[in-house]
């Protein structure tokens, strides 16, 4: 995969965050119990962690729970001002650590999905570049943490705005971004699906 896609996605995320008002920073996102500020911290929280460090911290800080582990990572950034979080996202556009895994796939999906987790509740639209969106859709099927192929099992998924389709079975049609969010388990996008599937 072109690592440039990850960089571009994080640059756009930093640009979005830089334009938000203080009130928007404390608004809820599509990630349960997380504000925009929490999610901005989450996006950069994995950058310096190897898979071994993630496993160790998940066991110690999270006591085996992924939710507690993620909360502990976000807490590491609790003292940072929002401007500092924006600067960190800008400084860390190059994927590294866990975000560089699978040739940058983790970083691309993380930045794209979480950017939409912020944008959708705030009503801030976006047109994702088609090549980047197609790559994210295809890769979302095979990343174990998303379970995209499992969510789309038995269906033929068809993007209505980019050249992408997957699977066999009853058709489900939607814009590519909505399909991606559904494959990531975001119920907020379910209303945009159409078709017999």
């Amino acid at each position: 995969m072109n690592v440039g896609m990850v960089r571009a996605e994080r640059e756009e995320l930093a640009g979005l965050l830089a334009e938000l008002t203080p009130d928007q920073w404390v608004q809820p996102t599509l990630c349960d119990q997380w504000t925009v500020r929490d999610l901005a911290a989450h996006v950069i929280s994995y950058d310096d962690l190897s898979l071994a460090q993630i496993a160790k911290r998940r066991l110690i800080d999270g006591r085996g729970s992924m939710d507690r582990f993620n909360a502990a990572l976000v807490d590491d950034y609790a003292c940072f001002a929002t401007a500092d979080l924006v600067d960190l996202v800008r400084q860390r556009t190059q994927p590294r650590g866990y975000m560089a895994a699978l040739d940058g796939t983790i970083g691309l999906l993380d930045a794209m999905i979480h950017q939409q987790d912020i944008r959708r509740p705030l009503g801030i639209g976006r047109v994702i570049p088609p090549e980047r969106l197609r790559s994210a859709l295809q890769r979302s099927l095979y990343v174990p943490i998303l379970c995209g192929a499992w969510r789309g099992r038995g269906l033929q998924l068809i993007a209505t705005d980019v050249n992408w389709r997957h699977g066999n079975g009853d058709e489900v049609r939607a814009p590519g971004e909505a399909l991606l969010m559904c494959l990531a388990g975001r119920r907020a996008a379910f209303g945009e699906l159409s078709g017999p599937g």
Side-chain angles (χ1 to χ4, degrees):
M1 181 180 84
N2 181 356
V3 173
M5 288 186 187
V6 185
R7 286 197 300 265
E9 199 62 28
R10 280 201 166 186
E11 285 167 5
E12 288 184 27
L13 175 59
L16 167 68
L17 294 172
E19 294 174 2
L20 297 181
T21 66
D23 182 58
Q24 288 173 316
W25 273 89
V26 297
Q27 294 302 308
T29 66
L30 294 184
C31 294
D32 289 343
Q33 302 177 11
W34 277 7
T35 64
V36 170
R37 188 187 198 298
D38 296 331
L39 201 46
H42 170 71
V43 167
I44 56 175
S45 67
Y46 278 79
D47 284 347
D48 294 324
L49 300 176
S50 67
L51 288 175
Q53 289 170 315
I54 289 171
K56 181 180 177 184
R57 282 203 65 181
R58 182 176 175 187
L59 186 64
I60 296 169
D61 294 345
R63 299 183 305 283
S65 163
M66 197 65 175
D67 289 340
R68 281 194 295 263
F69 168 64
N70 279 327
L73 292 181
V74 168
D75 284 348
D76 289 346
Y77 294 87
C79 64
F80 283 68
T82 55
D84 295 332
L85 291 173
V86 172
D87 287 344
L88 282 173
V89 175
R90 281 200 174 114
Q91 292 166 19
R92 297 180 181 182
T93 57
Q94 179 71 26
R96 58 190 193 191
Y98 180 63
M99 290 296 117
L102 303 175
D103 195 27
T105 293
I106 302 295
L108 176 66
L109 292 172
D110 187 73
M112 187 178 292
I113 291 166
H114 287 322
Q115 183 169 173
Q116 298 310 113
D117 285 334
I118 292 169
R119 285 177 175 273
R120 278 177 165 261
L122 294 179
I124 302 173
R126 173 186 187 217
V127 176
I128 301 171
E131 181 183 355
R132 204 182 311 163
L133 180 55
R134 279 193 302 271
S135 181
L137 280 163
Q138 193 61 33
R139 289 165 184 272
S140 72
L141 298 168
Y142 306 106
V143 173
I145 199 164
L146 283 185
C147 304
W150 181 82
R151 287 191 176 101
R153 69 195 181 286
L155 300 170
Q156 183 178 177
L157 306 174
I158 302 169
T160 57
D161 56 347
V162 295
N163 183 20
W164 185 84
R165 65 175 51 216
H166 171 78
N168 298 300
D170 290 338
E171 288 186 3
V172 174
R173 295 178 174 271
E177 183 269 349
L179 286 176
L180 178 65
M181 297 304 281
C182 288
L183 288 170
R186 302 317 196 256
R187 293 177 185 264
F190 286 4
E192 297 172 51
L193 304 177
S194 64

